[in-house]
């Protein structure tokens, strides 16, 4: 069995001709996409516009709106897709989302403190462009390219992806943004760690670890229940399964089976809007 073969679900036996299989419904992503770039210092609106122009050219700035001096905005256009960007010269409001409540994410302890101490933020949003999985994937790739450009600015400290409730340090975001550039022409690549968080939890006496953010792409979240493998191995499995679904290579469903180890199948069981992966000595 090849390394990636273990992430392929096992197909059910063919049904009799008298009971043709029902076509599987495709995922229905959330059409809107957004994130927040956290700034350790208010870099100023001119610096934001310059970063965009330097990376994408002056035509990327489709329009600007300075009617609200404390919250200027611009519309950006990348490869025909429009994005909205606004600058807020204050910390992210805790009543909208309390970033200090996030104990898990992609950061070191020092990076977390730097992000929580941010002084201003940029709101990035794309409205209505992700109505199909292919469109959502394209929007998120362009979004990552744009956010990566802005988080590269002097004073930027990280990104908060609200749909995944995921806090990501500048260092890690830039790492995956660069990997995306290196694999831009590869349809099988997607920067899943920037869009799908990994959470831990407890179900009764059993520990759980799973995804948070696949729902944004129209999929059920994936959770391992009572898994015994080390955390790095579970993270790798969850990220790869997320990538395979987002790129259209796999679709995991209730009662499918998967063999991470030959001869030891795990079963997907749907419960309360999630797919739990049980058994298989994972």
């Amino acid at each position: 069995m090849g390394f990636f073969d273990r992430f392929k679900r096992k197909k059910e036996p063919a049904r009799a001709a008298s009971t043709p299989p029902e076509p599987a419904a495709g995922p229905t992503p959330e059409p809107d996409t957004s994130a927040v770039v956290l700034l350790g210092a208010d870099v100023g609106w001119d610096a934001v516009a310059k970063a965009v122009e330097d990376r994408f050219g002056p035509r990327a700035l489709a329009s600007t709106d300075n009617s609200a001096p404390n919250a200027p905005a611009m519309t950006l256009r990348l490869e025909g897709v429009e994005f909205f960007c606004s600058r807020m010269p204050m910390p992210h409001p805790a009543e909208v989302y309390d970033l200090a409540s996030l104990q898990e994410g992609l950061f070191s302890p020092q990076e977390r403190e730097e992000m929580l101490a941010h002084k201003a933020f940029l709101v990035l949003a794309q409205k209505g462009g992700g109505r199909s999985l292919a469109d959502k994937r394209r929007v998120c790739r362009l979004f990552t390219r744009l956010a990566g450009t802005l988080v590269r600015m002097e004073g930027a400290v990280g990104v908060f992806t609200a749909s995944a409730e995921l806090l990501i340090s500048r260092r890690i975001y830039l790492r995956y943004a660069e990997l995306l550039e290196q694999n831009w022409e590869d349809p099988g690549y997607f920067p899943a760690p920037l869009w799908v968080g990994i959470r831990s939890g407890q179900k009764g006496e059993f520990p759980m670890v799973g995804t948070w953010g696949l729902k944004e792409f129209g999929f059920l979240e994936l959770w391992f229940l009572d898994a015994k493998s080390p955390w790095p191995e579970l993270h790798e499995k969850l990220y790869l399964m997320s990538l395979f679904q987002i790129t259209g290579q796999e679709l995991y469903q209730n009662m499918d089976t998967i063999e991470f180890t030959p001869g030891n199948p795990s079963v997907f069981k749907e419960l309360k809007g999630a797919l739990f992966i049980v058994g298989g000595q994972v």
Side-chain angles (χ1 to χ4, degrees), residues 38-231:
L38 304 173
L39 305 173
D42 188 355
V43 299
W45 195 230
D46 290 343
V48 176
K50 184 177 186 304
V52 173
E53 286 189 336
D54 287 350
R55 176 65 176 83
F56 303 106
R59 290 189 175 183
L61 293 174
S63 65
T64 58
D65 180 1
N66 296 313
S67 59
N70 290 331
M74 65 175 71
T75 300
L76 311 171
R77 187 176 293 116
L78 305 182
E79 297 185 12
V81 179
E82 288 193 347
F83 296 84
F84 171 83
C85 178
S86 181
R87 167 179 149 267
M88 307 298 288
M90 61 183 184
H92 190 272
E95 57 269 25
V96 175
Y97 195 99
D98 184 6
L99 301 183
S101 68
L102 295 172
Q103 301 298 321
E104 297 178 285
L106 300 180
F107 47 71
S108 69
Q110 180 180 345
E111 289 169 335
R112 179 177 181 272
E113 292 305 313
E114 290 174 351
M115 288 188 285
L116 294 182
H118 70 281
K119 306 300 184 185
F121 63 97
L122 302 173
V123 177
L124 286 179
Q126 201 291 320
K127 296 294 184 181
R131 297 186 183 280
S132 70
L133 180 58
D135 288 342
K136 183 71 172 184
R137 194 165 55 236
R138 179 170 182 257
V139 165
C140 288
R141 282 162 52 90
L142 291 170
F143 197 109
T144 300
R145 178 175 269 181
L146 175 58
T149 297
L150 296 177
V151 82
R152 195 179 295 277
M153 293 188 303
E154 187 82 23
V157 292
V159 173
F160 172 58
T161 305
S163 61
E165 300 181 11
L166 178 60
L167 202 55
I168 311 167
S169 73
R170 179 180 190 267
R171 170 182 60 88
I172 293 179
Y173 201 96
L174 289 177
R175 178 196 303 171
Y176 283 104
E178 179 58 31
L179 283 173
L180 175 62
E181 295 298 331
Q182 295 172 10
N183 295 278
W184 190 261
E185 302 301 325
D186 181 1
Y189 179 77
F190 184 83
L194 301 184
W195 294 97
V196 179
I198 304 295
R199 295 288 189 85
S200 59
Q202 198 81 12
K203 186 174 178 62
E205 62 184 39
F206 301 112
M208 304 187 306
V209 56
T211 65
W212 200 260
L214 276 176
K215 60 184 179 297
E216 185 77 2
F217 298 88
F219 301 109
L220 298 175
E221 303 295 353
L222 299 172
W223 285 83
F224 283 111
L225 181 62
D226 196 27
K228 309 299 184 186
S229 299
W231 268 63

